Amino acid sequence: MDRRHPRVTPRKALTGRSKAAKFIAGTVLLISSALAGAQAILEGERFHPVTSNQGMVVTSHTLATEVALEVLKDGGNAIDAAVTAGFALAVTQPRSGNIGGGGFMLYAPGDGGEVEAIDYREKAPAAATETMFQDDSGEVVQNRSRFTHKAAGVPGTVAGLAMALERHGTLTLEQALGPAIKLARDGFVVPSRFTEGLEQARDRLTRWPATLDTFYKEDGSAWQPGERFVQPDLANTLERIANRGIRDFYEGETAELIVAEMQRNDGLITLDDLRNYQPAVREPIHGTYRDHDIYSMSPPSSGGTHIVQILNILEGYDMAAMGHNSAAAIHHMAEAMKLAYADRANFLGDTDFVDVPLTGLTSKDYAEELRGGINSRRARPSAKIQEGTPGAYESPETTHFSIVDRWGNAVSNTYTINFSYGSGITVAGAGFLLNNEMDDFSAKPGEPNAYGLIGGEANKIAPEKRMLSSMSPTIVRRNGQNYLVTGSPGGSRIITTTLQVLMNVIDHGMNIQSAVSVPRIHHQWLPDEIRIEQGISPDTVQKLESMGHKVIPGSAMGAIQSILINDEGTRHGGADPRRSTSSAMGY
């Protein structure tokens, strides 16, 4: 039987959507994205995931979840559903899912076959230079790498999704684009999060006429919850791609619109840049943790490397015995995170351009060496931590989705345009926003980017180079079978968010919804502080401070969308309540 596309009559759909809606409503309304749901868990309530026996889709927007689930129910596979969801999110969630950006996809066949990584990260234009975001005195001009046309890397999403479909899908590109075109042409009812985003970013977005015309009403006001929002220019762009293939985006009418936008505003992307763009098939990072196989994204993402590195360090401790989010557990996690992020700053970059010591960074021996420097009772100041010697050689508004089909094929996909709404610049006549991923390069080695991450020589700007990312689509196998599919948005916090969901399941035995919902912590070496979400005990904070940690309460981190497959093959979906439009649906 062909696992890609056996024609099987789908069972009658379960009540996945109503369960998802009930879950989101029942977790208590999140105020300013704070974790009321996570607090309920601490009080003894354990949330239950959405379950199904065949297909499961978990995305950050209900409409994308719905159209992807329909693909699975109609006999499509996980890649078919993923590409459909990816384009649908480009319509319904323009602040993050967008054809003007790029990302990473992990694909794990349900028969235990080789896990594959598709890298469709943006590239620097050919005219990019190492000092392009510095002034004449060599100082970084921050907004130049964030809110100008020079901030845009060559987009990879259209080519990457098309490559996945060609390699492993069964739908045509036209079929996969159909739901997105309909959502753009006919419109969709705006949720409150959509309105809030436009209001929050008003000053940045409305300075660009095409963005104002595309995303706001004629009188300049934002679309309100319950109103229908249509995007005719985007619908036309998606239709051209459906009818003419990806050549339209990279060589045809859409490409010409992108280049014209650049030429009007001193941008760098040319027709040659677009024509020459190619996604890449890469070998994922692989590690083990307590008899589980961990597969995650390889460079130019730093995510997989450092998830495995941190897990290797923590494997030497009995994390379960310490207790979830105890002071001891958080202390050891934070110390391991510091070490990994120090290495990230110095070693990680695009392996097509620089040598990265991946084997060393992910080795058990190197983890043991690093573990030896951790004091179990006292925090080590970040100023005393430098990169190690491992040996052989993104935005809070990123979007992640996880999909498993009836044959057990799994897709974990994370993509972005970097900041919320990227650069804020809409391609006139094409209806989509441009990324500002050039800010993920080291504008100047040693200078922090927008997420406070320090970059080194390995991540300096170079023509046609891919900028470093933290995106970490991850798939875990147990006994050779797909077990956990996960990933998150969150900029520099993507790595630690994904890490904690893995530990919540493997170390603490949580069901997938609880693993997704409980409070999180984060340390990234610099600044030297543990950031915590609402729900961490004040006593725990006091103990951490007595150990020498600086603890900073903050808003919610990430919006991780996850699926767990148990030994009986039942799919359990956990949608993150930190994002009000998240949904898990199965059949």
Side-chain angles (χ1 to χ4, degrees):
M1 179 178 289
D2 183 357
R3 60 178 166 78
R4 296 198 337 166
H5 193 51
R7 299 299 301 183
V8 180
T9 303
R11 295 181 183 177
K12 183 177 180 181
L14 300 178
T15 56
R17 179 163 59 174
S18 62
K19 286 184 179 180
K22 183 178 180 181
F23 162 69
I24 292 171
T27 57
V28 187
L29 291 177
L30 302 181
I31 302 173
S32 299
S33 72
L35 294 177
Q39 182 64 42
I41 286 179
L42 295 180
E43 295 167 356
E45 178 184 356
R46 294 183 69 83
F47 295 136
H48 297 289
V50 175
T51 62
S52 78
N53 293 320
Q54 295 201 38
M56 177 66 67
V57 179
V58 191
T59 84
S60 57
H61 200 288
T62 302
L63 293 174
T65 303
E66 287 178 343
V67 297
L69 187 67
E70 285 301 312
V71 170
L72 296 184
K73 288 163 65 176
D74 288 343
N77 66 23
I79 289 288
D80 297 324
V83 175
T84 302
F87 282 120
L89 285 165
V91 177
T92 58
Q93 204 162 276
R95 66 198 291 169
S96 49
N98 200 290
I99 61 174
F104 305 113
M105 179 183 289
L106 225 59
Y107 170 67
D111 62 4
E114 185 175 347
V115 180
E116 178 178 284
I118 296 178
D119 169 8
Y120 59 97
R121 181 70 159 155
E122 301 91 334
K123 283 187 172 184
T129 65
E130 182 179 345
T131 59
M132 62 185 285
F133 298 128
Q134 300 174 25
D135 61 21
D136 292 340
S137 61
E139 297 301 315
V140 175
V141 183
Q142 290 183 339
N143 284 347
R144 190 180 296 172
S145 67
R146 300 173 188 177
F147 305 124
T148 71
H149 287 68
K150 285 186 171 68
V154 182
T157 294
V158 173
L161 295 181
M163 171 184 273
L165 197 64
E166 182 178 354
R167 289 178 65 82
H168 303 291
T170 66
L171 298 182
T172 65
L173 186 60
E174 182 180 9
Q175 289 171 320
L177 277 160
I181 293 169
K182 182 175 176 59
L183 285 166
R185 182 76 67 198
D186 298 344
F188 61 93
V189 176
V190 169
S192 58
R193 184 171 181 269
F194 189 95
T195 305
E196 291 164 1
L198 291 177
E199 293 290 9
Q200 291 166 1
R202 171 179 292 279
D203 290 346
R204 180 159 59 88
L205 298 182
T206 55
R207 60 180 291 215
W208 303 104
T211 304
L212 176 62
D213 292 344
T214 299
F215 295 103
Y216 295 85
K217 298 180 183 179
E218 289 187 7
D219 63 1
S221 62
W223 296 90
Q224 297 301 303
E227 296 179 337
R228 183 168 292 274
F229 174 62
V230 298
Q231 300 169 84
D233 284 347
L234 180 58
N236 292 338
T237 296
L238 296 174
E239 280 189 347
R240 287 194 300 271
I241 297 170
N243 295 332
R244 305 171 191 172
I246 66 169
R247 290 185 61 184
D248 173 76
F249 191 90
Y250 293 96
E251 299 182 43
E253 183 176 343
T254 303
E256 291 172 355
L257 290 171
I258 295 171
V259 173
E261 182 71 33
M262 291 288 147
Q263 291 175 343
R264 285 193 299 269
N265 296 278
D266 198 28
L268 298 183
I269 297 175
T270 66
L271 277 175
D272 282 342
D273 289 323
L274 291 164
R275 189 181 296 115
N276 292 334
Y277 180 86
Q278 292 290 332
V281 176
R282 301 193 186 274
E283 183 179 349
I285 292 293
H286 174 238
T288 61
Y289 184 67
R290 308 196 199 282
D291 297 323
H292 294 73
D293 285 286
I294 314 297
Y295 295 90
S296 193
M297 194 63 210
S298 48
S301 172
S302 63
T305 301
H306 296 306
I307 286 173
V308 169
Q309 181 183 12
I310 296 169
L311 289 173
N312 284 343
I313 296 171
L314 295 177
E315 194 171 35
Y317 303 108
D318 190 343
M319 301 303 297
M322 291 181 192
H324 177 259
N325 275 352
S326 67
I330 293 174
H331 167 72
H332 286 86
M333 290 164 63
E335 293 301 289
M337 290 172 184
K338 289 180 194 177
L339 295 166
Y341 277 85
D343 280 349
R344 181 191 190 278
N346 290 279
F347 293 116
L348 268 291
D350 183 349
T351 49
D352 291 341
F353 284 75
V354 295
D355 290 329
V356 179
L358 296 175
T359 301
L361 288 167
T362 59
S363 73
K364 301 287 187 183
D365 288 343
Y366 181 53
E368 184 177 1
E369 176 188 330
L370 294 178
R371 193 185 310 121
I374 294 177
N375 185 326
S376 291
R377 298 180 179 275
R378 191 71 187 170
R380 181 166 29 159
S382 291
K384 295 185 178 181
I385 297 175
Q386 302 298 321
E387 75 275 15
T389 52
Y393 266 89
E394 225 122 253
S395 117
E397 287 299 339
T398 301
T399 297
H400 180 86
F401 54 84
S402 297
I403 297 174
V404 175
D405 63 27
R406 69 182 72 177
W407 306 287
N409 302 316
V411 171
S412 178
N413 187 91
T414 314
Y415 70 158
T416 187
I417 52 173
N418 202 23
F419 291 9
S420 182
Y421 305 101
S423 63
I425 299 166
T426 297
V427 177
F432 62 87
L433 289 154
L434 289 168
N435 69 82
N436 58 353
E437 294 290 1
M438 294 294 288
D439 186 65
D440 276 357
F441 279 118
S442 303
K444 180 181 179 181
E447 291 289 323
N449 71 358
Y451 303 106
L453 289 171
I454 304 297
E457 288 286 331
N459 190 40
K460 66 183 180 182
I461 301 169
E464 300 187 35
K465 185 178 181 180
R466 288 179 164 94
M467 58 291 293
L468 189 60
S469 171
S470 295
M471 291 186 283
S472 310
T474 299
I475 295 174
V476 178
R477 281 178 166 169
R478 186 172 67 173
N479 300 323
Q481 298 300 310
N482 292 339
Y483 175 59
L484 176 60
V485 187
T486 192
S488 179
S492 62
R493 298 177 290 279
I494 292 173
I495 296 170
T496 53
T497 294
T498 306
L499 170 85
Q500 286 167 87
V501 168
L502 300 185
M503 295 179 66
N504 290 344
V505 171
I506 297 171
D507 285 312
H508 303 295
M510 295 183 187
N511 72 49
I512 193 61
Q513 191 60 67
S514 295
V516 163
S517 299
V518 291
R520 298 173 188 144
I521 67 102
H522 172 75
H523 204 305
Q524 63 181 50
W525 179 48
L526 296 173
D528 191 358
E529 62 189 34
I530 300 177
R531 178 172 171 174
I532 64 169
E533 290 184 328
Q534 182 183 17
I536 302 293
S537 164
D539 289 342
T540 298
V541 173
Q542 186 176 24
K543 289 179 182 178
L544 289 167
E545 290 174 338
S546 72
M547 299 169 81
H549 292 287
K550 180 180 180 182
V551 182
I552 305 295
S555 58
M557 292 183 274
I560 197 160
Q561 315 298 343
S562 307
I563 300 171
L564 187 144
I565 309 170
N566 67 14
D567 291 339
E568 289 72 41
T570 303
R571 289 84 161 114
H572 300 269
D576 200 324
R578 293 163 180 81
R579 187 160 288 179
S580 60
T581 51
S582 296
S583 65
M585 300 182 191
Y587 77 103

